[in-house]
Every structure is written in C-alpha cells, then in structure tokens.
Amino acid sequence: MKIEDTFHGYLEIDGEAFAYSITNQIITLLPAQSDVKKRYEVTERIATRTVDLPEFIHGEDNSAQIAFMRTSNFYRSTFGFVPALSFSPPIIFKANGNADGYYNKLTEDWDRFHAITFVGGNINALFDPQMAIVQQQKDDLLPQNGVTVIKTRPWEDYTRTTDFTIDNHRVNLTLSVFHRGENHDKTRKGAVVLGELNTLIRFSFENSQSFTCVEKCYKIIRSLVALLTMQNNVGFETYLNQRDSAGKLFQSAICKIYDGYEDYATKNQYSVLPLSVLFDYLPALIERIENKKYDSLLSLLPEDNRHTNLISITNVQDICTALEVAYGWGKRKRNKDILIADLKKRIKATITTFVNEQSDMDVNNETTISSAFQYLDYTLKDKIEALYQENKEIVDLVSKKWSLPTLSIERIAAFVKLRNSKTHSGEVEWGERAEIYTLLFALEYICVLKDIGVPNETIKNLIYQVF
C-alpha cells in the first residue's frame, strides 16, 4: 500500500457524501447530491458547522479506507457551476489492506493503533542499519559458482528498548533495523528488489491510541532526529501498528505527513550524533523535547541544504537566545548567581527602608524600580563566558581542530554587539565577529548533552566528531 501524491475517491462528512480529489496537498470536495439546491445547502452546512479541531474525515480512495486530518477552516469556492470546499491536510492516513485477511487481523477499528513506527530516511544515519548484516569473508574476489550469501543477524544483537512517558502514558521505545521484503519495482521495469534494511524507531503503547496521538509522536521524533542530525530538514516514513489476537504487531495503516521541506539532510553516520551512544539518555532527551526545552536550539538548525554553511544575522540572534536559555538550565548555582541573589536581596532591603522613611512617593507605582529590579542579571556576554569557562576544554578542541580563534570575553562581547546592533540600529557590520559562531554552536550542544546527563568524556568525543 502507498499514498500517492494525487488521487481521488469518496468521503462522508456528517452523513453527507462528497467526491474528492487531492493535488499538491489541496483536497477539493464536491457534494455528491443530484439536486443542485441540495448541493449548495450541504456545502454551506458543512462549511459553517462547529467542530473541535483537529477533525479526521474518513473516506476511501478506490483501494482502501482513508482519513484526512483537518486543522483549518474549509475554503469555499465553485468548481464550474458546482459549489466546492477545500482544505490542506497536514497528515493523511490509509488502511494497509482492503480484504478479509486484513480486517480479520484487526483487534480495534483501523483508525486506532498500539504502536507508531518511524522508518529509514535520516534515521538511518543515526543508527547504521548495516549493523544487522553478518559480514562475509572476502577472500575471493568473485563469488563461488555465482552464489552470493546475504545473511542478517538476529534481532537481539542490535535491538534496544527503553521506557518513557507521553502525556502520562507509558511508552516503550524500540530501536532496531527493519527488513523490507521483496517486491517489483515499477520504476525499473518490474525488476525484483530483494529488499532493503532501514533503521526503525517505534513507540509502543499499553492501550490503543487514536489518530490524535500521531501528530505529537511525529513532532517528538522529528525534533529528536533534527537535533541529532543538526538540521531541521529531516524526513522518514511513518506507519501505524496494531496487535493481532496473538499480541504480535502488524502494520495496520500508513501515514503521509507533509513537512514542507524542499530537500532533506544528506549527512552520514560520521557527521551526526549517534543513537547507539546516546540511547541511555533518550528518555531524558525526549522528555525535554516534549516540554519544548530545546526549541531555542531547534530554531538554529538549517531548514535547507543550501543554508548549511551560511550564517545569517538571524542565526546570530538565535544562538544568543539559545545560550542565554542554556545558562539557566540545571539546579546548580554558580558563584555569580549567588552574588546576584545577594545583590537583589540588599536592593530589596534598601527599597523597603526608603519606603518606610518616605511617605510622599509610591515607589512601586510611580517609578520603574519593579521592572528594573525584575530584570537585574549578569549581561549576556558574562553568561556565555561563564558557560565557556565551564566547558573550555571541549570548546578549545573544536577551536584547535579548525584553527579558529579561542573564545575570550572580548570576542564574545563583540559577537553580542553584532546581535545588538541589528536589534537597535538595523545595521550589521560583520567584520571578524562571526568567526566564533561555530564555537558558540558547539557550546550550545555541549550544554544540551550535559543537561541530559551524558558524561564529559563522551561529550568530548561526540563534539569532536560532529564539529
């Protein structure tokens, strides 16, 4: 089963039948009633009805049941002399079968699932699927009698599992390699493809979930893969699983998720942060992703391969924000933070004394003391310099590797001024101030890895590999 880019069929909304077609992610709905007046009435009623979004509209595409996720209002128009509705679905779902053999395996309605699986694409670089293959001896340059043996290792040799929670639901995460069976490739004149290996990440739930859960799971995995790939334009396949009557998972539905990217990251296993090394820290990483803790870092990552080696003023602004956020992570108090807390305490005591002695002024309502006091803190350059001093050894490795200038309070101050000049004057004078961007980017990743508990020596090896 596959969801094509362009197809058509019939669907039903609140008991009213529509013919539909989809092209370029736009679904056009035409009322199927024979009476002209009825068509207009149906179109108006469906377009103006009040329902909670997202809504899942069910139908068929002439080969299987299908469902479209609607997250925005209908657009009303006319198709010739026929009233029409249209919308753009972020996700399309399709049942992975249409015969008794498929429906007999279902233990729930087809629009429910016990597991969601993300396969291949940029996930392969994070956990090399080649590890599932038994390496053959290569003594002979040519195979004996034309016999070539391809053998895979048992699942337990490379499959790992861990648990975490999503919205208080216990989830089991499986990381493994998936073998796709033989098939005929129509694009190559029916050639028989013996199969391919792809890495999979699977979320399994104790109880069945509805389609509403898919978007959240997808966003978590997309952010996870993006963080580890260090680019936002990542892609992979997504499908749903149900447990059959014997408790075994089978593919029950496939998903087409529109991500809006023109191209996808092309990084290999040597230029990403590997899941094999970070697997034990995945629950902590996923928990922080779900809580949007690393959104400031995600905003830094390229959306297009053409931008991977470019630095814009937006990148400068975003890295400053990300490092300022990273400074506040963790429960440990730095000496600087203790001093700031003591300063605030003394200022507060001084204000209290003044208020008690001076009744002619309402300090809190007639002055800006409350806002000034609220934002009293160290400057951004001092925060970044503190983060650098805490991680100096690792950052300096990157500096030495690429012959970049080492970080200093003066260079950090010049970089922050680059951000401030754009914010306050709208002018940007780059000079040599952006040279340290790579070091600050590495520093942000060091902070993330420390935040999820990765040991310092492991962080050193990872950062040296990817920067």
Side-chain angles (χ1 to χ4, degrees):
M1 286 289 181
K2 181 182 178 181
I3 301 178
E4 303 289 347
D5 293 328
T6 301
F7 58 93
H8 60 272
Y10 291 91
L11 56 79
E12 189 175 280
I13 306 176
D14 284 0
E16 302 292 354
F18 289 83
Y20 75 83
S21 64
I22 179 168
T23 303
N24 297 326
Q25 201 186 340
I26 301 296
I27 295 179
T28 301
L29 309 178
L30 301 176
Q33 290 73 22
S34 58
D35 182 76
V36 175
K37 182 179 179 181
K38 179 69 172 176
R39 292 174 190 165
Y40 281 93
E41 290 175 352
V42 166
T43 302
E44 177 68 17
R45 184 175 69 82
I46 296 301
T48 58
R49 81 198 214 288
T50 301
V51 295
D52 293 330
L53 297 179
E55 175 187 26
F56 298 93
I57 299 174
H58 290 256
E60 54 84 26
D61 73 343
N62 298 318
S63 65
Q65 292 188 78
I66 203 157
F68 303 99
M69 183 180 186
R70 183 173 74 90
T71 57
S72 60
N73 293 333
F74 286 112
Y75 173 75
R76 280 179 278 184
S77 61
T78 56
F79 188 81
F81 295 102
V82 180
L85 300 174
S86 61
F87 68 97
S88 179
I91 307 177
I92 301 174
F93 305 87
K94 183 175 180 178
N96 195 43
N98 56 12
D100 290 343
Y102 167 74
Y103 289 108
N104 290 338
K105 290 180 70 174
L106 292 175
T107 53
E108 303 266 358
D109 291 338
W110 83 273
D111 60 354
R112 298 193 67 83
F113 62 96
H114 298 103
I116 180 169
T117 305
F118 308 96
V119 179
N122 291 106
I123 299 175
N124 286 340
L126 305 179
F127 191 75
D128 187 4
Q130 188 170 331
M131 68 178 62
I133 300 175
V134 176
Q135 297 298 321
Q136 302 295 313
Q137 296 295 326
K138 298 182 179 179
D139 296 334
D140 296 326
L141 295 180
L142 295 174
Q144 295 297 318
N145 299 320
V147 176
T148 300
V149 177
I150 301 176
K151 186 178 181 181
T152 57
R153 297 158 59 195
W155 267 44
E156 57 265 22
D157 285 2
Y158 49 83
T159 299
R160 301 182 67 178
T161 63
T162 189
D163 294 324
F164 65 98
T165 59
I166 295 179
D167 291 338
N168 297 319
H169 293 290
R170 178 180 173 275
V171 182
N172 177 263
L173 182 150
T174 299
L175 176 65
S176 191
V177 176
F178 171 74
H179 176 250
R180 198 184 298 272
E182 65 181 48
N183 58 73
H184 291 271
D185 189 341
K186 295 180 181 178
T187 64
R188 289 156 56 190
K189 295 183 173 60
V192 176
V193 180
L194 296 180
E196 62 182 29
L197 296 176
N198 286 286
T199 301
L200 70 80
I201 301 175
R202 174 177 291 156
F203 290 176
S204 300
F205 299 85
E206 291 180 329
N207 301 311
S208 67
Q209 305 294 312
S210 68
F211 282 165
T212 56
C213 182
V214 170
E215 185 179 27
K216 181 160 193 173
C217 292
Y218 168 78
K219 286 182 176 179
I220 289 173
I221 286 296
R222 198 212 66 80
S223 295
L224 173 68
V225 175
L227 281 174
L228 300 184
T229 305
M230 303 171 69
Q231 288 187 217
N232 267 318
N233 56 327
V234 294
F236 41 81
E237 294 181 22
T238 304
Y239 63 80
L240 308 180
N241 309 86
Q242 277 197 23
R243 295 189 186 95
D244 61 20
S245 57
K248 294 183 178 180
L249 290 173
F250 70 96
Q251 187 173 324
S252 58
I254 55 178
C255 306
K256 189 179 188 70
I257 301 177
Y258 295 95
D259 53 36
Y261 297 122
E262 295 183 6
D263 59 18
Y264 294 100
T266 57
K267 289 188 173 181
N268 60 32
Q269 60 182 311
Y270 304 108
S271 55
V272 300
L273 297 169
L275 280 169
S276 56
V277 176
L278 296 175
F279 186 81
D280 292 338
Y281 312 99
L282 282 184
L285 183 53
I286 289 173
E287 180 266 331
R288 287 157 174 76
I289 288 173
E290 183 186 3
N291 293 329
K292 304 184 181 303
K293 188 173 184 179
Y294 299 147
D295 279 7
S296 57
L297 173 54
L298 285 166
S299 68
L300 284 170
L301 306 181
E303 304 277 345
D304 190 297
N305 289 336
R306 293 169 295 183
H307 302 155
T308 54
N309 296 314
L310 301 177
I311 301 173
S312 69
I313 191 61
T314 300
N315 296 138
V316 172
Q317 294 168 320
D318 288 344
I319 192 69
C320 287
T321 300
L323 287 167
E324 188 159 27
V325 170
Y327 181 85
W329 292 343
K331 298 180 180 179
R332 182 176 65 83
K333 286 290 184 181
R334 302 172 177 86
N335 289 333
K336 283 189 171 186
D337 298 324
I338 295 173
L339 290 175
I340 281 288
D342 185 45
L343 176 59
K344 288 182 177 181
K345 183 178 179 181
R346 296 190 185 191
I347 292 174
K348 188 175 182 180
T350 300
I351 293 172
T352 301
T353 300
F354 179 84
V355 169
N356 290 336
E357 295 175 352
Q358 177 57 264
S359 59
D360 295 335
M361 179 186 293
D362 186 342
V363 173
N364 291 320
N365 293 323
E366 296 181 31
T367 72
T368 59
I369 188 66
S370 59
S371 60
F373 182 64
Q374 178 183 355
Y375 295 107
L376 176 64
D377 204 346
Y378 281 101
T379 62
L380 177 57
K381 67 177 176 61
D382 287 299
K383 290 181 178 181
I384 295 176
E385 202 270 339
L387 289 175
Y388 167 60
Q389 291 300 329
E390 293 170 3
N391 303 283
K392 186 177 187 301
E393 180 185 6
I394 304 176
V395 176
D396 286 351
L397 281 176
V398 179
S399 176
K400 184 177 180 181
K401 178 179 178 180
W402 297 107
S403 300
L404 294 171
T406 56
L407 289 183
S408 65
I409 190 67
E410 293 78 17
R411 289 193 176 98
I412 294 171
F415 187 88
V416 172
K417 284 182 180 179
L418 188 63
R419 189 273 300 260
N420 293 342
S421 64
K422 170 62 177 177
T423 302
H424 300 303
S425 69
E427 299 179 356
V428 180
E429 296 181 7
W430 289 95
E432 298 179 347
R433 290 184 286 182
E435 284 186 324
I436 64 171
Y437 180 85
T438 298
L439 303 181
L440 297 178
F441 193 31
L443 178 58
E444 174 68 15
Y445 262 93
I446 293 168
C447 293
V448 169
L449 294 172
K450 288 181 69 173
D451 186 53
I452 61 175
V454 180
N456 200 63
E457 193 63 29
T458 303
I459 295 176
K460 183 191 301 184
N461 294 334
L462 291 174
I463 293 299
Y464 191 79
Q465 173 182 316
V466 297
F467 283 96

